[in-house]
Amino acid sequence: MQVIATAGHVDHGKSALVRALTGMEPDRWAEERRRGLTIDLGFAWTKLPRGERVAFVDVPGHERFVPNMLAGLGPVPAVLFVVAADGGWMPQSAEHLAAIDAVGIRHGLLAVTRSDLADPGPATRQALDRISRTSLGAVPAVAVSAVTGAGLPDLRDALERLVAALPVPDPAAPVRLWVDRSFSIRGSGTVVTGTLPAGTVTAGQELLLTPSLRPARIRGLESMNEPVTSAAGVARVAVNLRGVPAGFAARGMALVEAGRWILTRVLDVRLSAPDPEVMLPPEMTLHIGSARTQARIRTLGSLLPPSPGGPILPDAPWGETTPPSPPVLLPPSPPALSTVVRLTLRDPLPLHVGDRVLLRDPGSAAVTILGATVLDVDPPALARRGAAAAAGRELAAWPDPPSAADLLRRHGFLRAGALAAMGVAGGPKPVAGDWLADPDRWASLRGRLVEAVAAHAKRDPLAIGMPPEAARAALGLPDRTLVEALARGLRGQVLLEDGYLRPAGPSGTRDAASSLPPRLAAAVKAVLADLADAPFLAPDAGRLRDLGLDPRAIAAAARAGLLLRVTEQVVLAPDAQAQAALILAGLPQPFTTAEARQALGTTRRVAIPLLEYLDRAGVTQRLPDDRRRLRLAHAHALVHPRAVRVSSRKPTAGRKAR
Ligand SMILES: Nc1nc2c(ncn2[C@@H]2O[C@H](COP(=O)(O)OP(=O)(O)O)[C@@H](O)[C@H]2O)c(=O)[nH]1
Ligand SMILES: [Mg+2]
């Protein structure tokens, strides 16, 4: 089905025409019928000759009821514009057309009514001329009389062609059903109605009612007075809701799918070609769908865009084969101003990037209507000096509607789900988890992470490394997983080990040795000299103290691979584990602690913690009787000394620190 809204000046015959087309009464209220005046929205529907169903939203023409008119017009894809042959173009004809243009409705039809009372020619020409200058463009025109019925078959044919040409919206699109009526039915509870522009609503589905985000389950569904189990846009639907108390739902609220919209109070928009003479008031009424709220306006910047056709080239008098001459830029005419503004709303609305909103200034003498395209529904705060002007320059260069790349450039990082909820499709592959990144920002962060990690290591050479959380804060990233992903992409420059970030040497291995303070490097050298002849006689506590090797320094030297740290008190040369394995492999298996101590040529102070260390490293295995044996992989070393496999990250056999 399709939904078409009427538009046009009061008393030009909109309601009479809907009545003649559908046989239904669009003026629902007794007061409307008594006064012969449409006050609120009316709803009627019919089948066209070839079976297509079409519903009409009949709007009031009187200037006092413009908000009602906009609530009806907001969500529909097409309009039936009505001008009376005997009335001609009138103020509300112009106002309704301006609203259609602001909302950006592109499909329509002109009906020149009351053509039994006057020649429809002049009114038709006048209206077509005005309409052609808006988003509707060139539309077909039909002269009709609701009283005599003349022209109605032609109008039905024209409606059929209009409906056939309308785009079919995506049934999987996110649901946003603007409520235009709400009432309670005894025994059933709350019912809301609206025009569903796209997506599908289904009985049993849970939606959220904005702005409260109260969950509401669809209990039952009707479309054009017939019960249905689901309805896909475009459709008129009446939805019976569970979980919404009587009197709670109202026009301007919307039923939305969870996670597919951004409920926002702040948005950046581009005004469409406002008259450059018009000063923007500080506050206007914003309309979208059936909703309206007050919007405070902050100008972010304005500029003259290039003339619409691009550079104007002089006519080539010699035909197409002439080499192109350099473009000649002519002064743009007429000057069109494109203004980017930030709106702060009184009430939050569920919005997407690319939505069209309408701004009115009901207080001004000449009622102004402006259209605007939503550029960002979650814009960054304008904290710094000059931030507004910078934002204005950036947004002014964005296309209508902006792409995923534009939004990522502005935000730097967005979760894929957040970008989708903004209504923006596409985007690059995630850089980490579901995080999307602006490619330029990501590239520049690589260099910054390398610098930050190097600076940290330089500031505190004995530190285990830079905590990723510190790097996240230093780089201003929204999530730690991004730091880890950056580091993974920087193998050879940054190492992420044991949960800390360290600079890597040129070969991709850690380069801590060269970054150790000279005093510590000298102390390490002295220890290694002590161990040169008796590799398992570890320096005692007094010697370590004299050399300034406190636990922190020992840990740093061990991380640098310069010492093997058995305990805080027992340090050996980095190859001590492999050497011990070789020596122990020469013993009859299993062996006692005393046998091992003797073979290693050391004391119990060293032998016991060393054997426990080797147990943990998987080199030796402790048996229930307290004896040990070498594990198979290490026994193998007896035959192939270079094949010693070390299960923990410790220097391998053959590496000599001395
Ligand atoms: N003679 C004649 N009168 C019409 C025609 N269409 C509407 N009218 C009358 O014009 C008046 C306004 O019509 P209505 O449909 O309420 O106008 P609306 O305000 O645009 O909805 C009513 O008195 C109608 O009976 C028509 O085609 N011919
Ligand atoms: Mg009416």
Side-chain angles (χ1 to χ4, degrees):
M1 75 176 290
Q2 278 296 346
V3 182
I4 296 175
T6 61
H9 196 73
V10 64
D11 269 350
H12 275 205
K14 296 181 293 299
S15 300
L17 190 57
V18 168
R19 212 175 288 129
L21 283 170
T22 65
M24 291 175 71
E25 176 53 63
D27 285 339
R28 294 173 291 127
W29 296 8
E31 188 194 350
E32 289 179 314
R33 287 185 223 163
R34 197 178 62 244
R35 289 169 63 182
L37 176 75
T38 309
I39 296 169
D40 201 355
L41 300 173
F43 306 96
W45 46 85
T46 187
K47 252 189 196 160
L48 292 171
R50 259 170 281 159
E52 178 74 42
R53 292 174 315 162
V54 58
F56 292 94
V57 177
D58 185 35
V59 308
H62 197 282
E63 61 177 315
R64 274 179 42 215
F65 310 122
V66 168
N68 289 347
M69 179 274 287
L70 291 173
L73 196 66
V76 304
V79 287
L80 176 60
F81 206 98
V82 168
V83 178
D86 62 333
W89 198 252
M90 296 292 278
Q92 266 63 55
S93 313
E95 189 173 20
H96 286 200
L97 186 60
I100 289 164
D101 190 36
V103 176
I105 298 175
R106 301 217 314 277
H107 307 274
L109 192 56
L110 171 66
V112 180
T113 49
R114 295 168 58 111
S115 61
D116 54 307
L117 299 177
D119 172 13
T124 307
R125 281 191 292 280
Q126 203 181 12
L128 284 180
D129 173 56
R130 307 286 162 92
I131 290 171
S132 71
R133 289 184 243 157
T134 67
S135 58
L136 287 175
V139 297
V142 185
V144 291
S145 167
V147 170
T148 68
L152 285 180
D154 287 349
L155 181 60
R156 286 203 179 86
D157 286 347
L159 280 168
E160 200 139 63
R161 282 193 295 277
L162 171 69
V163 164
L166 289 177
V168 178
D170 182 2
V175 167
R176 180 177 56 181
L177 179 67
W178 294 107
V179 173
D180 52 32
R181 269 188 304 166
S182 170
F183 47 89
S184 300
I185 294 179
R186 197 175 282 278
S188 297
T190 297
V191 175
V192 299
T193 71
T195 302
L196 181 68
T200 306
V201 288
T202 310
Q205 184 181 13
E206 186 175 271
L207 297 168
L208 304 175
L209 189 62
T210 67
S212 62
L213 297 183
R214 175 188 269 271
R217 195 170 290 283
I218 300 182
R219 194 173 183 177
L221 208 55
E222 277 187 8
S223 186
M224 300 185 296
N225 276 5
E226 281 171 27
V228 290
T229 51
S230 80
V234 179
R236 281 296 304 170
V237 290
V239 184
N240 182 197
L241 295 173
R242 199 192 303 276
V244 179
F248 184 86
R251 174 175 294 174
M253 295 181 179
L255 284 170
V256 296
E257 276 178 274
R260 300 189 76 179
W261 297 89
I262 302 281
L263 188 74
T264 186
R265 216 183 272 274
V266 185
L267 57 151
D268 289 347
V269 304
R270 184 190 346 260
L271 303 174
S272 314
D275 183 343
E277 305 297 307
V278 171
M279 283 291 290
L280 286 175
E283 200 170 301
M284 290 180 92
T285 307
L286 179 143
H287 296 257
I288 181 168
S290 64
R292 71 176 142 135
T293 186
Q294 286 308 106
R296 264 190 290 118
I297 300 178
R298 174 169 181 187
T299 308
L300 297 181
S302 55
L303 89 170
L304 286 171
S307 59
I312 299 163
L313 296 164
D315 287 335
W318 305 290
E320 290 178 357
T321 50
T322 341
S325 46
V328 178
L329 283 167
L330 301 177
S333 63
L337 195 74
S338 153
T339 307
V340 181
V341 298
R342 173 154 302 184
L343 303 178
T344 305
L345 309 180
R346 190 190 55 205
D347 313 297
L349 290 172
L351 295 177
H352 271 170
V353 168
D355 270 341
R356 292 284 301 177
V357 298
L358 183 150
L359 293 162
R360 291 172 72 226
D361 184 10
S364 80
V367 176
T368 315
I369 289 185
L370 297 175
T373 302
V374 176
L375 298 177
D376 198 345
V377 287
D378 187 17
L382 302 171
R384 281 178 299 104
R385 222 165 189 282
R393 276 193 302 278
E394 181 183 11
L395 296 177
W398 282 16
D400 255 8
S403 67
D406 295 316
L407 281 140
L408 273 172
R409 206 177 320 111
R410 182 175 213 205
H411 289 261
F413 296 91
L414 286 168
R415 288 186 186 275
L419 187 68
M422 288 178 159
V424 181
K429 276 217 315 263
V431 292
D434 62 348
W435 281 104
L436 309 181
D438 171 49
D440 289 344
R441 174 87 69 99
W442 190 246
S444 75
L445 280 166
R446 291 162 175 275
R448 286 185 53 204
L449 181 65
V450 173
E451 282 165 24
V453 170
H456 185 275
K458 200 165 172 191
R459 248 192 335 270
D460 190 359
L462 297 190
I464 184 161
M466 187 175 199
E469 180 55 30
R472 185 205 62 72
L475 268 52
L477 295 175
D479 195 290
R480 221 177 62 192
T481 59
L482 292 167
V483 175
E484 289 155 8
L486 266 181
R488 276 195 300 277
L490 283 168
R491 283 216 187 90
Q493 294 180 77
V494 168
L495 287 179
L496 178 62
E497 273 185 358
D498 308 328
Y500 288 89
L501 296 159
R502 287 191 282 272
S507 62
T509 59
R510 65 179 92 167
D511 191 23
S514 66
S515 72
L516 283 188
R519 201 176 49 79
L520 177 54
V524 167
K525 228 171 132 187
V527 169
L528 294 177
D530 290 355
L531 292 166
D533 296 327
F536 296 100
L537 275 180
D540 61 17
R543 172 75 173 145
L544 290 178
R545 201 180 322 108
D546 292 347
L547 289 169
L549 286 172
D550 59 10
R552 215 166 109 80
I554 288 172
R559 268 197 308 279
L562 300 177
L563 290 177
L564 175 66
R565 178 185 173 282
V566 178
T567 67
E568 276 194 2
Q569 312 295 329
V570 177
V571 293
L572 297 172
D575 62 350
Q577 176 178 319
Q579 281 220 15
L582 270 175
I583 291 167
L584 297 175
L587 289 176
Q589 309 287 319
F591 50 85
T592 62
T593 303
E595 286 163 350
R597 178 182 58 71
Q598 225 160 5
L600 294 169
T602 186
T603 59
R604 283 182 63 81
R605 180 182 77 87
V606 176
I608 289 174
L610 177 60
L611 286 170
E612 283 166 0
Y613 179 91
L614 293 174
D615 292 340
R616 284 197 302 278
V619 175
T620 50
Q621 184 186 12
R622 187 175 184 171
L623 304 174
D625 64 1
D626 247 15
R627 291 187 300 167
R628 286 183 167 80
R629 71 161 162 249
L630 220 62
R631 286 184 185 272
L632 212 58
H634 299 277
H636 190 58
L638 203 57
V639 193
H640 302 286
R642 294 195 67 88
V644 172
R645 285 226 314 266
V646 182
S647 54
S648 67
R649 267 175 301 93
K650 291 296 174 299
T652 51
R655 175 162 168 194
K656 292 276 176 212
R658 282 168 275 171

